[in-house]
Every structure is written in C-alpha cells, then in structure tokens.
Amino acid sequence: AIYNDILVDDDTIYVVGKDDERVGIVSIYEDDGDYVSTTKYKNTDNLGFTGIVLFDNHLLVSGAKLDNNSSDGLLLKYNTDLVITKDIVYVGNSNERFNQIIIDKHDNVVVVGTSAKLDNSSSDRVNVYIHNGLIGKYDKNLEKVSVIEYGDDRDDYFTDVIISKGNYLVSGYSSYE
C-alpha cells in the first residue's frame, strides 16, 4: 500500500492511500504500530485517497470517484469502524478530485483539489488537459456551500490547505515560468 495522509486520534492511527490495485484504502493501526483493519473503496483514481480528518466523531476522507472514465471530487464520511455513513460527490464540468481537507472554526469542511478539462484547441495528437485548482466549502451537515476553480490557460494544482490568521492558505504548484 501507499499511504498519502495520516491521522492520530488518542491510541489509534488512521492512514489513507491506495493499494497495488489502485483501490482507495483507509487503514487502522494501534499506536504501537500493530495493524487492526483496512477498508477499500474501488472507484478511485490512481492516487486513491489523499486526505483524512476527524470531524464530529467521524472520519472524512478525500479523493476522486471514477465513473465511466471520468472522475469527480469525493468526500466520504466513515464511522470509526470504517463504515461509510455518507458520500459526497462533486460533479463539475471536467475531471475533478479533492486532495486535502480541513475543518474551520465554524465547522465548515474546506477541500482543495484539481480539475482537468480536455483542451479542444490543442493540435497535439494526444489528449491535452488544462488543470485548475479547486477550493470548496461544505457546511457542518456536508451540504455544498461553494466550489470555485482558479486558474487560466496554464496548469494549476492545489495540494494542501491550512488556516492562518483566520484565512485559508492554499499550497500547490503551477506550470508558470
């Protein structure tokens, strides 16, 4: 397995990532490193799950949901026994994924990620995509407040988010020179 994020809650360690079959996984370990269990989610992209937070005694996990060769931003809510209690899928105008999650002081769930839209103006023989950063906000009931794309004709990727002095600080990378 490849793990992308980790959460420690008292004596329990939760990790998210993907297995060798490109299936999204959430695994539990005891604080001494002993393995407890893993649950799998088959419809993810090649990154699997990339973010995890504890929210209202549940785990929120981020990634992408694949459907007919297209991907959509995904938030899954698990109980601590790794049973999905809610799934939230963001369907935009392209391929989307949510990379990371935080909870703000108002119990809003904030996600960052990336969208990829086919560039129909490209003269290349291969598919060329334009990537934009995504930032989204969901309320404490996981109802969408907004999801906004940022970018222009170059590629922008949002990979992480924190709160600094009451503002969201987003990191990522770009193809800008």
Side-chain angles (χ1 to χ4, degrees):
I2 295 174
Y3 295 126
N4 295 316
D5 203 4
I6 188 169
L7 169 71
V8 178
D9 182 39
D10 293 327
D11 296 334
T12 305
I13 301 168
Y14 300 95
V15 290
V16 295
K18 69 175 184 171
D19 68 6
D20 57 353
E21 297 173 350
R22 293 186 172 180
V23 171
I25 58 173
V26 182
S27 298
I28 301 174
Y29 291 86
E30 294 175 357
D31 64 350
D32 62 3
D34 286 342
Y35 172 78
V36 176
S37 66
T38 296
T39 189
K40 297 181 177 187
Y41 186 88
K42 292 185 179 181
N43 298 327
T44 58
D45 63 4
N46 62 349
L47 293 177
F49 295 144
T50 51
I52 185 169
V53 295
L54 186 64
F55 180 63
D56 196 28
N57 295 317
H58 284 79
L59 305 170
L60 290 181
V61 173
S62 62
K65 181 175 184 172
L66 288 182
D67 187 23
N68 296 325
N69 292 329
S70 178
S71 67
D72 298 309
L74 178 66
L75 280 174
L76 292 173
K77 183 178 180 181
Y78 288 89
N79 65 21
T80 53
D81 293 323
L82 301 185
V83 174
I84 295 173
T85 60
K86 188 168 187 174
D87 66 327
I88 296 91
V89 178
Y90 170 71
V91 180
N93 297 336
S94 54
N95 292 307
E96 298 86 21
R97 86 166 339 274
F98 291 151
N99 291 321
Q100 201 50 264
I101 320 164
I102 60 168
I103 310 300
D104 71 15
K105 67 180 180 180
H106 303 290
D107 285 340
N108 293 304
V109 177
V110 178
V111 293
V112 295
T114 302
S115 69
K117 186 181 293 188
L118 187 60
D119 182 359
N120 293 321
S121 67
S122 174
S123 60
D124 292 342
R125 290 187 166 175
V126 296
N127 289 340
V128 175
Y129 289 86
I130 297 171
H131 295 86
N132 287 316
L134 290 176
I135 185 165
K137 183 186 281 188
Y138 291 80
D139 68 18
K140 65 182 179 181
N141 298 314
L142 299 178
E143 297 296 324
K144 182 175 76 170
V145 175
S146 68
V147 177
I148 300 169
E149 273 191 45
Y150 290 93
D152 58 17
D153 59 341
R154 298 185 188 192
D155 291 332
D156 300 290
Y157 303 85
F158 289 172
T159 56
D160 205 356
V161 60
I162 63 170
I163 297 172
S164 175
K165 299 181 181 177
N167 296 302
Y168 304 127
L169 180 60
V170 176
S171 68
Y173 56 99
S174 177
S175 66
Y176 294 99
E177 296 176 7

